[in-house]
Amino acid sequence: MADAKPVSPQRLRALLASATVLPWWWVTALVVVAVGSTVDISMPAKGATSWHIAVGPTTLVAIGLIWLPSAIRLLALAGGSVKAGGWEASSTGLMQAPEQLIEDLTELRTTAEPPPGERGTVQGDVDRIAARYLPPEQTLTPEVVNRLAREYEAIRRRMRGGDKRTAAMNRLVNEVRIRAAAAPETARAMAPALLRSSADGDRIVGLALVQGTPAASVHEDVLRIVGTAASAFEQYHALRALDKMLPVLDADERARTKAVLEREKTDPRGIGVMKDAPIASWIDHLLVVLSDPAAGR
């Protein structure tokens, strides 16, 4: 609806937290029912009382019902329907408008960005929400990708360099990552052509898709961008794409990556690579992980 109020990142955090809380009394009662229903006691007229443990329908139903409160809350948030025991519940959901959910998740991801070497739990939660609740066929389309690529170029063209412009560009990258999480197969199919494009916006969107759905098949494309990036922002996100790709690279690809990064540390193009603190931090972090994979866990 046009007059629907957006769900703020703070409100979204609170909604998701409340949706996953299970009442202790509910869990306790159903665990007692589940355990009790597994014990079958026989008391024949003659002979000793006997008992044995068997898992029956009552046990399975009780275990399944433990998650019912969370399922109902998530139904209220995301919409859909639930059928159980002869009744049905349905809801349009607070999160049913895909574009509004994308906007809120983008804001949440952007405000909780971890530094190099740290794995943010919020980012993982955001990606899981996107994958579960956003419709892939609507979330990532050629039209959407082209719009975001041109929007990136417009930001660079119209805004003066500085923190505000960087924040706007990072927000766009995070939006692409969320869309990639919702449609990973489409993201992997689109990434190669975008990474090889001569348009700055296409390459940035391609790097964001790789960050959201890393694949070894675009390794050489990302490495090339690290060494030929048109801007510090582009090189920064190429390094972040490499970070996401490391777990899927083989030994030869990791060695090639290490060689390229070591060369970049010498600033072969004379553009002051190591004077840019975020880029220098990511290069150093990646080299540490490449030398000791355990360091990146």
Side-chain angles (χ1 to χ4, degrees), residues 171-228:
R171 192 182 188 286
L172 185 144
V173 168
N174 280 316
E175 178 178 340
V176 177
R177 289 188 60 172
I178 287 166
R179 292 178 182 274
E185 293 184 5
T186 302
R188 292 190 187 99
M190 288 181 167
L194 292 166
L195 293 172
R196 296 162 194 167
S197 172
S198 60
D200 294 350
D202 290 346
R203 294 194 304 276
I204 283 294
V205 170
L207 290 171
L209 292 177
V210 175
Q211 290 177 26
T213 54
S217 58
V218 293
H219 175 244
E220 286 301 319
D221 293 309
V222 175
L223 273 189
R224 186 191 67 256
I225 293 175
V226 169
T228 63

CSV table of all heavy atoms in Angstrom, one decimal, residues 171-228:
chain,number,residue,atom,x,y,z
A,171,ARG,N,25.7,1.8,0.9
A,171,ARG,CA,24.3,1.4,1.0
A,171,ARG,C,23.8,0.7,-0.2
A,171,ARG,O,23.1,-0.3,-0.1
A,171,ARG,CB,23.4,2.6,1.4
A,171,ARG,CG,22.0,2.2,1.8
A,171,ARG,CD,21.2,3.4,2.1
A,171,ARG,NE,19.9,3.0,2.7
A,171,ARG,CZ,18.9,2.4,2.1
A,171,ARG,NH1,19.0,2.1,0.8
A,171,ARG,NH2,17.8,2.1,2.8
A,172,LEU,N,24.1,1.2,-1.4
A,172,LEU,CA,23.7,0.6,-2.6
A,172,LEU,C,24.3,-0.8,-2.7
A,172,LEU,O,23.7,-1.8,-3.1
A,172,LEU,CB,24.2,1.4,-3.8
A,172,LEU,CG,23.7,1.0,-5.2
A,172,LEU,CD1,23.4,2.2,-6.1
A,172,LEU,CD2,24.8,0.1,-5.9
A,173,VAL,N,25.6,-1.0,-2.4
A,173,VAL,CA,26.3,-2.3,-2.4
A,173,VAL,C,25.5,-3.3,-1.5
A,173,VAL,O,25.3,-4.4,-1.8
A,173,VAL,CB,27.7,-2.2,-2.0
A,173,VAL,CG1,28.3,-3.6,-1.7
A,173,VAL,CG2,28.5,-1.5,-3.1
A,174,ASN,N,25.2,-2.8,-0.3
A,174,ASN,CA,24.4,-3.7,0.6
A,174,ASN,C,23.1,-4.1,0.1
A,174,ASN,O,22.6,-5.2,0.3
A,174,ASN,CB,24.3,-3.0,2.0
A,174,ASN,CG,25.6,-3.1,2.8
A,174,ASN,OD1,26.2,-4.2,2.9
A,174,ASN,ND2,26.0,-2.0,3.4
A,175,GLU,N,22.4,-3.2,-0.6
A,175,GLU,CA,21.1,-3.6,-1.2
A,175,GLU,C,21.3,-4.7,-2.2
A,175,GLU,O,20.5,-5.6,-2.3
A,175,GLU,CB,20.5,-2.4,-1.9
A,175,GLU,CG,19.2,-2.7,-2.6
A,175,GLU,CD,18.4,-1.6,-3.2
A,175,GLU,OE1,18.7,-0.4,-2.8
A,175,GLU,OE2,17.6,-1.8,-4.1
A,176,VAL,N,22.4,-4.6,-3.0
A,176,VAL,CA,22.6,-5.6,-4.0
A,176,VAL,C,22.9,-6.9,-3.3
A,176,VAL,O,22.5,-8.0,-3.8
A,176,VAL,CB,23.8,-5.2,-4.9
A,176,VAL,CG1,24.1,-6.3,-5.9
A,176,VAL,CG2,23.5,-3.9,-5.7
A,177,ARG,N,23.7,-6.9,-2.3
A,177,ARG,CA,24.0,-8.1,-1.5
A,177,ARG,C,22.8,-8.8,-1.0
A,177,ARG,O,22.6,-10.0,-1.0
A,177,ARG,CB,25.0,-7.8,-0.4
A,177,ARG,CG,26.4,-7.4,-0.8
A,177,ARG,CD,27.3,-7.3,0.3
A,177,ARG,NE,27.4,-8.6,1.0
A,177,ARG,CZ,28.3,-8.8,2.0
A,177,ARG,NH1,29.2,-7.9,2.3
A,177,ARG,NH2,28.4,-10.0,2.6
A,178,ILE,N,21.8,-8.0,-0.5
A,178,ILE,CA,20.6,-8.6,0.0
A,178,ILE,C,19.8,-9.2,-1.1
A,178,ILE,O,19.2,-10.3,-1.0
A,178,ILE,CB,19.7,-7.5,0.7
A,178,ILE,CG1,20.4,-7.1,2.1
A,178,ILE,CG2,18.3,-7.9,0.9
A,178,ILE,CD1,19.9,-5.9,2.7
A,179,ARG,N,19.7,-8.5,-2.2
A,179,ARG,CA,19.0,-9.1,-3.4
A,179,ARG,C,19.7,-10.4,-3.9
A,179,ARG,O,19.1,-11.3,-4.3
A,179,ARG,CB,19.0,-8.1,-4.5
A,179,ARG,CG,18.1,-6.9,-4.2
A,179,ARG,CD,18.1,-5.8,-5.3
A,179,ARG,NE,17.3,-4.7,-5.0
A,179,ARG,CZ,16.0,-4.6,-5.2
A,179,ARG,NH1,15.3,-5.6,-5.8
A,179,ARG,NH2,15.3,-3.5,-4.9
A,180,ALA,N,21.1,-10.4,-3.8
A,180,ALA,CA,21.8,-11.6,-4.2
A,180,ALA,C,21.5,-12.8,-3.2
A,180,ALA,O,21.3,-13.9,-3.7
A,180,ALA,CB,23.3,-11.4,-4.2
A,181,ALA,N,21.3,-12.5,-2.0
A,181,ALA,CA,21.0,-13.5,-1.0
A,181,ALA,C,19.7,-14.1,-1.3
A,181,ALA,O,19.4,-15.3,-1.0
A,181,ALA,CB,21.1,-13.0,0.4
A,182,ALA,N,18.7,-13.3,-1.8
A,182,ALA,CA,17.4,-13.8,-2.1
A,182,ALA,C,17.4,-14.6,-3.4
A,182,ALA,O,16.5,-15.5,-3.6
A,182,ALA,CB,16.4,-12.7,-2.2
A,183,ALA,N,18.3,-14.4,-4.3
A,183,ALA,CA,18.3,-15.0,-5.6
A,183,ALA,C,19.7,-15.4,-6.0
A,183,ALA,O,20.3,-14.9,-6.9
A,183,ALA,CB,17.7,-14.1,-6.7
A,184,PRO,N,20.3,-16.4,-5.2
A,184,PRO,CA,21.7,-16.7,-5.4
A,184,PRO,C,22.1,-17.3,-6.8
A,184,PRO,O,23.1,-16.9,-7.4
A,184,PRO,CB,22.0,-17.7,-4.4
A,184,PRO,CG,20.7,-18.3,-4.0
A,184,PRO,CD,19.7,-17.1,-4.1
A,185,GLU,N,21.2,-18.1,-7.4
A,185,GLU,CA,21.5,-18.6,-8.7
A,185,GLU,C,21.5,-17.5,-9.8
A,185,GLU,O,22.4,-17.5,-10.7
A,185,GLU,CB,20.4,-19.7,-9.1
A,185,GLU,CG,20.5,-21.0,-8.2
A,185,GLU,CD,19.6,-22.0,-8.6
A,185,GLU,OE1,18.9,-21.8,-9.6
A,185,GLU,OE2,19.5,-23.1,-7.9
A,186,THR,N,20.5,-16.6,-9.7
A,186,THR,CA,20.5,-15.5,-10.6
A,186,THR,C,21.7,-14.6,-10.5
A,186,THR,O,22.3,-14.2,-11.5
A,186,THR,CB,19.2,-14.7,-10.4
A,186,THR,OG1,18.1,-15.6,-10.6
A,186,THR,CG2,19.1,-13.6,-11.4
A,187,ALA,N,22.1,-14.4,-9.2
A,187,ALA,CA,23.3,-13.5,-8.9
A,187,ALA,C,24.5,-14.1,-9.6
A,187,ALA,O,25.3,-13.4,-10.2
A,187,ALA,CB,23.4,-13.4,-7.4
A,188,ARG,N,24.7,-15.4,-9.4
A,188,ARG,CA,25.9,-16.1,-10.0
A,188,ARG,C,25.9,-16.0,-11.5
A,188,ARG,O,27.0,-15.9,-12.1
A,188,ARG,CB,26.0,-17.5,-9.5
A,188,ARG,CG,26.3,-17.6,-8.0
A,188,ARG,CD,26.6,-19.1,-7.6
A,188,ARG,NE,26.7,-19.2,-6.2
A,188,ARG,CZ,25.7,-19.7,-5.4
A,188,ARG,NH1,24.6,-20.1,-5.9
A,188,ARG,NH2,25.9,-19.7,-4.1
A,189,ALA,N,24.7,-16.1,-12.1
A,189,ALA,CA,24.6,-16.1,-13.5
A,189,ALA,C,24.9,-14.7,-14.1
A,189,ALA,O,25.5,-14.5,-15.2
A,189,ALA,CB,23.3,-16.6,-14.0
A,190,MET,N,24.5,-13.7,-13.3
A,190,MET,CA,24.7,-12.3,-13.8
A,190,MET,C,26.1,-11.7,-13.6
A,190,MET,O,26.6,-10.9,-14.3
A,190,MET,CB,23.7,-11.4,-13.1
A,190,MET,CG,22.3,-11.5,-13.5
A,190,MET,SD,21.2,-10.4,-12.5
A,190,MET,CE,19.7,-10.4,-13.5
A,191,ALA,N,26.8,-12.2,-12.5
A,191,ALA,CA,28.0,-11.6,-12.1
A,191,ALA,C,29.1,-11.5,-13.2
A,191,ALA,O,29.8,-10.5,-13.3
A,191,ALA,CB,28.6,-12.3,-10.8
A,192,PRO,N,29.4,-12.6,-13.9
A,192,PRO,CA,30.6,-12.5,-14.8
A,192,PRO,C,30.5,-11.4,-15.8
A,192,PRO,O,31.5,-10.7,-16.0
A,192,PRO,CB,30.5,-13.9,-15.5
A,192,PRO,CG,29.8,-14.8,-14.6
A,192,PRO,CD,28.8,-13.9,-13.9
A,193,ALA,N,29.4,-11.2,-16.5
A,193,ALA,CA,29.2,-10.2,-17.5
A,193,ALA,C,29.4,-8.8,-16.9
A,193,ALA,O,30.0,-7.9,-17.5
A,193,ALA,CB,27.9,-10.3,-18.2
A,194,LEU,N,28.9,-8.6,-15.7
A,194,LEU,CA,29.0,-7.3,-15.0
A,194,LEU,C,30.4,-7.0,-14.6
A,194,LEU,O,30.9,-5.9,-14.8
A,194,LEU,CB,28.1,-7.3,-13.7
A,194,LEU,CG,26.6,-7.4,-14.0
A,194,LEU,CD1,25.8,-7.7,-12.7
A,194,LEU,CD2,26.1,-6.1,-14.6
A,195,LEU,N,31.1,-8.0,-14.1
A,195,LEU,CA,32.5,-7.8,-13.7
A,195,LEU,C,33.4,-7.5,-14.9
A,195,LEU,O,34.4,-6.8,-14.8
A,195,LEU,CB,33.1,-9.1,-13.0
A,195,LEU,CG,32.4,-9.4,-11.7
A,195,LEU,CD1,32.9,-10.8,-11.2
A,195,LEU,CD2,32.7,-8.4,-10.6
A,196,ARG,N,33.1,-7.9,-16.1
A,196,ARG,CA,33.9,-7.7,-17.3
A,196,ARG,C,33.4,-6.4,-18.1
A,196,ARG,O,34.0,-6.1,-19.1
A,196,ARG,CB,33.8,-8.9,-18.2
A,196,ARG,CG,34.4,-10.1,-17.6
A,196,ARG,CD,34.0,-11.4,-18.2
A,196,ARG,NE,34.3,-12.6,-17.4
A,196,ARG,CZ,33.9,-13.8,-17.6
A,196,ARG,NH1,33.0,-14.0,-18.6
A,196,ARG,NH2,34.2,-14.8,-16.8
A,197,SER,N,32.4,-5.7,-17.5
A,197,SER,CA,31.9,-4.6,-18.2
A,197,SER,C,32.9,-3.4,-18.1
A,197,SER,O,33.6,-3.3,-17.1
A,197,SER,CB,30.5,-4.2,-17.6
A,197,SER,OG,30.1,-2.9,-18.1
A,198,SER,N,32.8,-2.5,-19.0
A,198,SER,CA,33.6,-1.2,-19.0
A,198,SER,C,32.9,-0.1,-18.2
A,198,SER,O,33.5,0.9,-17.9
A,198,SER,CB,33.9,-0.7,-20.4
A,198,SER,OG,32.6,-0.4,-21.0
A,199,ALA,N,31.7,-0.4,-17.8
A,199,ALA,CA,30.9,0.6,-17.0
A,199,ALA,C,31.2,0.4,-15.5
A,199,ALA,O,31.1,-0.7,-15.0
A,199,ALA,CB,29.4,0.4,-17.3
A,200,ASP,N,31.5,1.5,-14.8
A,200,ASP,CA,31.8,1.4,-13.4
A,200,ASP,C,30.7,0.9,-12.6
A,200,ASP,O,30.9,0.0,-11.7
A,200,ASP,CB,32.2,2.9,-12.9
A,200,ASP,CG,33.4,3.4,-13.5
A,200,ASP,OD1,34.2,2.7,-14.1
A,200,ASP,OD2,33.7,4.6,-13.3
A,201,GLY,N,29.5,1.3,-12.9
A,201,GLY,CA,28.3,0.8,-12.1
A,201,GLY,C,28.1,-0.7,-12.3
A,201,GLY,O,27.8,-1.4,-11.3
A,202,ASP,N,28.3,-1.2,-13.5
A,202,ASP,CA,28.2,-2.7,-13.7
A,202,ASP,C,29.1,-3.4,-12.8
A,202,ASP,O,28.8,-4.4,-12.2
A,202,ASP,CB,28.4,-3.0,-15.2
A,202,ASP,CG,27.2,-2.5,-16.0
A,202,ASP,OD1,26.2,-2.1,-15.5
A,202,ASP,OD2,27.4,-2.5,-17.3
A,203,ARG,N,30.4,-3.0,-12.8
A,203,ARG,CA,31.4,-3.7,-12.0
A,203,ARG,C,31.1,-3.7,-10.5
A,203,ARG,O,31.3,-4.7,-9.9
A,203,ARG,CB,32.8,-3.1,-12.3
A,203,ARG,CG,33.3,-3.4,-13.8
A,203,ARG,CD,34.8,-3.1,-13.9
A,203,ARG,NE,35.1,-1.8,-13.5
A,203,ARG,CZ,35.0,-0.7,-14.2
A,203,ARG,NH1,34.6,-0.7,-15.5
A,203,ARG,NH2,35.4,0.5,-13.8
A,204,ILE,N,30.7,-2.6,-10.0
A,204,ILE,CA,30.4,-2.5,-8.6
A,204,ILE,C,29.2,-3.4,-8.3
A,204,ILE,O,29.3,-4.1,-7.3
A,204,ILE,CB,30.0,-1.0,-8.2
A,204,ILE,CG1,31.3,-0.2,-8.1
A,204,ILE,CG2,29.3,-1.0,-6.9
A,204,ILE,CD1,32.2,-0.6,-7.0
A,205,VAL,N,28.2,-3.4,-9.1
A,205,VAL,CA,27.1,-4.3,-8.8
A,205,VAL,C,27.5,-5.8,-8.9
A,205,VAL,O,27.2,-6.6,-8.1
A,205,VAL,CB,25.9,-4.1,-9.8
A,205,VAL,CG1,24.9,-5.2,-9.7
A,205,VAL,CG2,25.3,-2.7,-9.5
A,206,GLY,N,28.4,-6.1,-9.9
A,206,GLY,CA,29.0,-7.4,-10.0
A,206,GLY,C,29.7,-7.8,-8.8
A,206,GLY,O,29.6,-9.0,-8.3
A,207,LEU,N,30.6,-6.9,-8.2
A,207,LEU,CA,31.3,-7.2,-7.0
A,207,LEU,C,30.4,-7.5,-5.8
A,207,LEU,O,30.6,-8.3,-5.0
A,207,LEU,CB,32.3,-6.1,-6.7
A,207,LEU,CG,33.5,-5.9,-7.7
A,207,LEU,CD1,34.2,-4.6,-7.4
A,207,LEU,CD2,34.4,-7.1,-7.6
A,208,ALA,N,29.3,-6.7,-5.8
A,208,ALA,CA,28.3,-6.9,-4.7
A,208,ALA,C,27.6,-8.2,-4.8
A,208,ALA,O,27.4,-8.9,-3.8
A,208,ALA,CB,27.3,-5.7,-4.7
A,209,LEU,N,27.3,-8.6,-6.0
A,209,LEU,CA,26.7,-10.0,-6.2
A,209,LEU,C,27.7,-11.1,-5.8
A,209,LEU,O,27.2,-12.1,-5.2
A,209,LEU,CB,26.4,-10.2,-7.7
A,209,LEU,CG,25.2,-9.3,-8.3
A,209,LEU,CD1,25.1,-9.5,-9.8
A,209,LEU,CD2,23.9,-9.5,-7.5
A,210,VAL,N,29.0,-10.9,-6.1
A,210,VAL,CA,30.0,-11.9,-5.6
A,210,VAL,C,30.1,-11.9,-4.1
A,210,VAL,O,30.2,-13.0,-3.5
A,210,VAL,CB,31.3,-11.6,-6.3
A,210,VAL,CG1,32.4,-12.6,-5.7
A,210,VAL,CG2,31.2,-11.7,-7.8
A,211,GLN,N,30.0,-10.8,-3.5
A,211,GLN,CA,30.0,-10.7,-2.0
A,211,GLN,C,28.8,-11.5,-1.4
A,211,GLN,O,29.0,-12.1,-0.4
A,211,GLN,CB,30.0,-9.3,-1.5
A,211,GLN,CG,31.3,-8.5,-1.8
A,211,GLN,CD,31.2,-7.1,-1.4
A,211,GLN,OE1,30.5,-6.7,-0.5
A,211,GLN,NE2,32.0,-6.2,-2.0
A,212,GLY,N,27.7,-11.4,-2.1
A,212,GLY,CA,26.5,-12.0,-1.6
A,212,GLY,C,26.5,-13.5,-1.9
A,212,GLY,O,25.9,-14.3,-1.2
A,213,THR,N,27.1,-13.9,-3.1
A,213,THR,CA,27.0,-15.3,-3.5
A,213,THR,C,28.4,-15.6,-4.1
A,213,THR,O,28.5,-15.7,-5.4
A,213,THR,CB,25.9,-15.6,-4.5
A,213,THR,OG1,26.1,-14.6,-5.6
A,213,THR,CG2,24.6,-15.4,-3.9
A,214,PRO,N,29.4,-15.8,-3.3
A,214,PRO,CA,30.8,-16.1,-3.8
A,214,PRO,C,30.9,-17.3,-4.6
A,214,PRO,O,30.3,-18.4,-4.3
A,214,PRO,CB,31.6,-16.1,-2.6
A,214,PRO,CG,30.7,-16.5,-1.5
A,214,PRO,CD,29.4,-15.9,-1.8
A,215,ALA,N,31.7,-17.3,-5.7
A,215,ALA,CA,31.9,-18.4,-6.6
A,215,ALA,C,33.3,-18.3,-7.2
A,215,ALA,O,33.7,-17.3,-7.6
A,215,ALA,CB,30.9,-18.5,-7.7
A,216,ALA,N,34.0,-19.5,-7.2
A,216,ALA,CA,35.4,-19.5,-7.7
A,216,ALA,C,35.4,-19.2,-9.2
A,216,ALA,O,36.5,-18.8,-9.7
A,216,ALA,CB,36.0,-20.9,-7.4
A,217,SER,N,34.3,-19.3,-9.9
A,217,SER,CA,34.3,-19.1,-11.4
A,217,SER,C,34.7,-17.7,-11.8
A,217,SER,O,35.1,-17.5,-12.9
A,217,SER,CB,33.0,-19.5,-11.9
A,217,SER,OG,31.9,-18.8,-11.4
A,218,VAL,N,34.5,-16.7,-10.9
A,218,VAL,CA,34.8,-15.3,-11.2
A,218,VAL,C,36.1,-14.8,-10.5
A,218,VAL,O,36.3,-13.6,-10.5
A,218,VAL,CB,33.6,-14.4,-10.9
A,218,VAL,CG1,32.4,-14.7,-11.7
A,218,VAL,CG2,33.2,-14.5,-9.4
A,219,HIS,N,36.9,-15.8,-10.0
A,219,HIS,CA,38.1,-15.4,-9.3
A,219,HIS,C,39.0,-14.5,-10.1
A,219,HIS,O,39.4,-13.5,-9.6
A,219,HIS,CB,38.8,-16.7,-8.9
A,219,HIS,CG,40.1,-16.4,-8.2
A,219,HIS,ND1,41.3,-16.8,-8.7
A,219,HIS,CD2,40.4,-15.8,-7.0
A,219,HIS,CE1,42.3,-16.5,-7.9
A,219,HIS,NE2,41.8,-15.8,-6.9
A,220,GLU,N,39.3,-14.9,-11.3
A,220,GLU,CA,40.2,-14.1,-12.1
A,220,GLU,C,39.7,-12.7,-12.4
A,220,GLU,O,40.4,-11.7,-12.5
A,220,GLU,CB,40.6,-14.8,-13.4
A,220,GLU,CG,41.5,-16.0,-13.2
A,220,GLU,CD,42.8,-15.6,-12.6
A,220,GLU,OE1,43.4,-14.5,-13.0
A,220,GLU,OE2,43.3,-16.3,-11.7
A,221,ASP,N,38.3,-12.6,-12.6
A,221,ASP,CA,37.7,-11.3,-12.9
A,221,ASP,C,37.9,-10.4,-11.7
A,221,ASP,O,38.2,-9.2,-11.8
A,221,ASP,CB,36.2,-11.5,-13.2
A,221,ASP,CG,36.0,-12.2,-14.5
A,221,ASP,OD1,36.6,-11.8,-15.5
A,221,ASP,OD2,35.2,-13.2,-14.5
A,222,VAL,N,37.7,-10.9,-10.5
A,222,VAL,CA,37.8,-10.1,-9.3
A,222,VAL,C,39.3,-9.7,-9.0
A,222,VAL,O,39.6,-8.6,-8.7
A,222,VAL,CB,37.2,-10.9,-8.0
A,222,VAL,CG1,37.5,-10.1,-6.8
A,222,VAL,CG2,35.8,-11.1,-8.2
A,223,LEU,N,40.2,-10.6,-9.3
A,223,LEU,CA,41.6,-10.3,-9.1
A,223,LEU,C,42.0,-9.2,-10.1
A,223,LEU,O,42.8,-8.3,-9.7
A,223,LEU,CB,42.5,-11.6,-9.4
A,223,LEU,CG,42.7,-12.5,-8.2
A,223,LEU,CD1,43.8,-13.5,-8.6
A,223,LEU,CD2,43.2,-11.7,-7.0
A,224,ARG,N,41.5,-9.3,-11.3
A,224,ARG,CA,41.8,-8.2,-12.3
A,224,ARG,C,41.4,-6.9,-11.8
A,224,ARG,O,42.1,-5.9,-11.9
A,224,ARG,CB,41.2,-8.6,-13.6
A,224,ARG,CG,41.6,-7.6,-14.8
A,224,ARG,CD,40.7,-7.8,-16.0
A,224,ARG,NE,39.3,-7.4,-15.8
A,224,ARG,CZ,38.3,-8.2,-15.6
A,224,ARG,NH1,38.5,-9.5,-15.7
A,224,ARG,NH2,37.1,-7.8,-15.4
A,225,ILE,N,40.2,-6.8,-11.2
A,225,ILE,CA,39.7,-5.5,-10.7
A,225,ILE,C,40.5,-5.0,-9.6
A,225,ILE,O,40.7,-3.8,-9.4
A,225,ILE,CB,38.2,-5.7,-10.3
A,225,ILE,CG1,37.3,-6.0,-11.6
A,225,ILE,CG2,37.7,-4.4,-9.6
A,225,ILE,CD1,35.9,-6.3,-11.3
A,226,VAL,N,41.0,-5.9,-8.7
A,226,VAL,CA,41.9,-5.5,-7.6
A,226,VAL,C,43.1,-4.7,-8.2
A,226,VAL,O,43.5,-3.7,-7.6
A,226,VAL,CB,42.4,-6.7,-6.8
A,226,VAL,CG1,43.5,-6.3,-5.8
A,226,VAL,CG2,41.2,-7.3,-6.0
A,227,GLY,N,43.6,-5.2,-9.3
A,227,GLY,CA,44.8,-4.5,-9.8
A,227,GLY,C,44.6,-3.4,-10.8
A,227,GLY,O,45.5,-2.7,-11.2
A,228,THR,N,43.3,-3.2,-11.2
A,228,THR,CA,43.0,-2.2,-12.2
A,228,THR,C,41.8,-1.3,-11.9
A,228,THR,O,41.3,-0.6,-12.7
A,228,THR,CB,42.7,-2.9,-13.6
A,228,THR,OG1,41.5,-3.7,-13.5
A,228,THR,CG2,43.9,-3.7,-14.1
